[in-house]
């Protein structure tokens, strides 16, 4: 059942809708698309119901990402940026990001609206000459990725970075509990099932609240 829900979620995440009159065909960015990354601490399994974006033109785009996240190497603490990323095509730089997800180890559903500071958008279009560590070649790179890190208790961290540039922390945020529950009540209180290995880890070690 979890895999069926996974497939459904990924199909939904591929369908982004925009609202607003006279939508331009392509935003004027120095790259084809910017990226959203989803991350969580190891074993602290999450299911992202939706990532929505209000861009700097005031246009709304729904379900630009969702589903499973990429996981760090340990349960306590964070790495810096990264995660399971997806290009956000034909969307200008973000003014607000809306995130709704299920923290499966609790379980609890959370939601948050994050206002993106202007300095982040400035970073996303500022070229920087850098030596890429993975191929030892110089290139002009941009911080075109925003990573959303989710942890139990509704903790969200946000970073901005690039493939060859380091990630800069934007902020740490506290989400609120979604009062309607998972899928805003559509699943009648049923969460996506927790993977057995993550369930076993939490039963043995607990949840390291306070480390994020």
């Amino acid at each position: 059942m979890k895999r069926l829900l996974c497939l459904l979620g990924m199909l939904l995440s591929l369908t982004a809708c925009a609202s607003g009159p006279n939508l331009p065909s392509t935003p004027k960015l120095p790259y084809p698309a910017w990226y959203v990354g989803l991350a969580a601490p190891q074993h602290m399994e999450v299911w992202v119901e939706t990532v929505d974006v209000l861009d700097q033109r005031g246009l709304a785009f729904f379900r630009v990402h969702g589903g499973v996240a990429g996981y760090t190497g340990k349960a306590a603490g964070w790495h810096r940026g990264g995660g399971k990323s997806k290009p956000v095509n034909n969307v200008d730089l973000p003014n607000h990001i809306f995130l709704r997800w299920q923290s499966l180890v609790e379980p609890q559903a959370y939601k948050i609206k994050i206002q993106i500071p202007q300095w982040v958008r400035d970073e996303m279009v500022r070229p920087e000459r850098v030596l890429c560590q993975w191929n030892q070649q110089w290139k002009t790179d941009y911080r075109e990725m925003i990573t959303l890190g989710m942890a139990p208790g509704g903790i969200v961290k946000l970073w901005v970075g690039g493939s060859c540039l380091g990630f800069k922390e934007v902020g740490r945020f506290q989400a609120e509990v979604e009062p309607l529950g998972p899928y805003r009540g559509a699943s009648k209180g049923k969460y996506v099932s927790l993977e057995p290995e993550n369930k076993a880890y939490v039963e043995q070690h607990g949840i390291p609240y306070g480390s994020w």
Side-chain angles (χ1 to χ4, degrees):
M1 175 60 71
K2 179 176 179 181
R3 300 307 171 198
L4 181 59
L5 286 171
C6 237
L7 178 60
L8 177 60
M10 291 304 294
L11 287 174
L12 287 174
S13 73
L14 292 174
T15 307
C17 304
S19 64
N22 303 317
L23 178 64
S25 57
T26 304
K28 295 180 179 179
L29 299 176
Y31 35 76
W34 57 278
Y35 288 76
V36 169
L38 304 176
Q42 184 72 19
H43 300 297
M44 302 296 111
E45 189 176 355
V46 302
W47 175 260
V48 180
E49 294 181 3
T50 184
V51 178
D52 307 324
V53 173
L54 182 69
D55 75 8
Q56 63 181 352
R57 299 169 296 179
L59 301 176
F61 297 81
F62 305 101
R63 293 187 294 275
V64 301
H65 204 350
V68 296
Y71 293 90
T72 67
K74 57 182 181 179
W78 284 109
H79 70 321
R80 294 182 65 84
K84 181 190 174 188
S85 64
K86 179 182 175 183
V88 184
N89 296 296
N90 296 321
V91 180
D92 212 330
L93 299 179
N95 192 58
H96 288 84
I97 291 179
F98 302 81
L99 171 65
R100 193 173 74 249
W101 84 97
Q102 300 174 26
S103 174
L104 303 181
V105 296
E106 298 179 272
Q108 187 62 264
Y110 295 101
K111 63 179 180 179
I112 191 170
K113 171 186 175 182
I114 300 174
Q115 183 172 358
I116 306 301
Q118 181 60 48
W119 74 261
V120 174
R121 288 186 291 275
D122 293 341
E123 283 286 336
M124 294 179 76
V125 294
R126 183 171 66 86
E128 188 170 335
R129 194 72 176 165
V130 62
L131 177 65
C132 291
Q133 296 301 314
W134 58 274
N135 64 2
Q136 291 299 301
Q137 294 184 6
W138 287 90
K139 67 171 291 188
T140 299
D141 200 13
Y142 295 88
R143 288 185 169 86
E144 78 274 44
M145 177 184 289
I146 287 181
T147 295
L148 299 165
M150 294 152 282
I155 302 302
V156 179
K157 272 204 172 185
L158 192 147
W159 297 268
V160 59
S163 59
C164 296
L165 295 169
F167 280 82
K168 296 184 177 183
E169 184 174 322
V170 178
R172 180 182 184 272
F173 307 91
Q174 177 64 59
E176 61 180 300
V177 170
E178 170 53 71
L180 299 178
Y183 293 109
R184 289 184 171 173
S187 65
K188 298 181 179 179
K190 184 175 177 59
Y191 289 84
V192 172
S193 58
L194 182 63
E195 293 288 357
E197 63 270 26
N198 296 325
K199 184 174 185 292
Y201 180 92
V202 171
E203 288 175 349
Q204 181 177 358
H205 301 283
I207 299 173
Y209 290 110
S211 67
W212 305 297

